[in-house]
Amino acid sequence: APSDGGKLLVVPMVGSHWLSLQKVVEKLSERGHEVVVLMPEVSWQMKTTQAYTVKTHPVSLTLEELDNGFR
């Protein structure tokens, strides 16, 4: 039953790691787990959804610095 789900804290890495993990997190939510995802304030591809709660944490990089580091 959905009420049998546990609580999960997810701290994903930026980028493709999160794209894969997001599907897993959404499935866990569908199965009744309460999921909190801790994301950096500055990131790529980290979209929110109703499937989980998002909390952000401050980072020292701007999006421009993140992009430059990737290039």
Side-chain angles (χ1 to χ4, degrees):
S3 62
D4 293 339
K7 294 183 178 186
L8 296 163
L9 175 63
V10 179
V11 186
M13 301 296 291
V14 175
S16 60
H17 170 81
W18 171 242
L19 295 178
S20 301
L21 187 59
Q22 185 176 15
K23 301 293 183 200
V24 174
V25 168
E26 288 171 355
K27 280 289 181 193
L28 288 168
S29 177
E30 286 173 18
R31 294 180 181 187
H33 295 279
E34 182 182 335
V35 183
V36 174
V37 179
L38 183 62
M39 296 182 181
E41 287 177 337
V42 174
S43 64
W44 300 305
Q45 303 165 328
M46 291 192 161
K47 296 177 179 65
T48 60
T49 176
Q50 297 286 15
Y52 47 83
T53 301
V54 173
K55 302 285 184 186
T56 59
H57 61 87
V59 291
S60 59
L61 288 176
T62 65
L63 190 56
E64 182 181 15
E65 289 169 330
L66 190 62
D67 287 340
N68 290 339
F70 181 73
R71 283 193 205 105

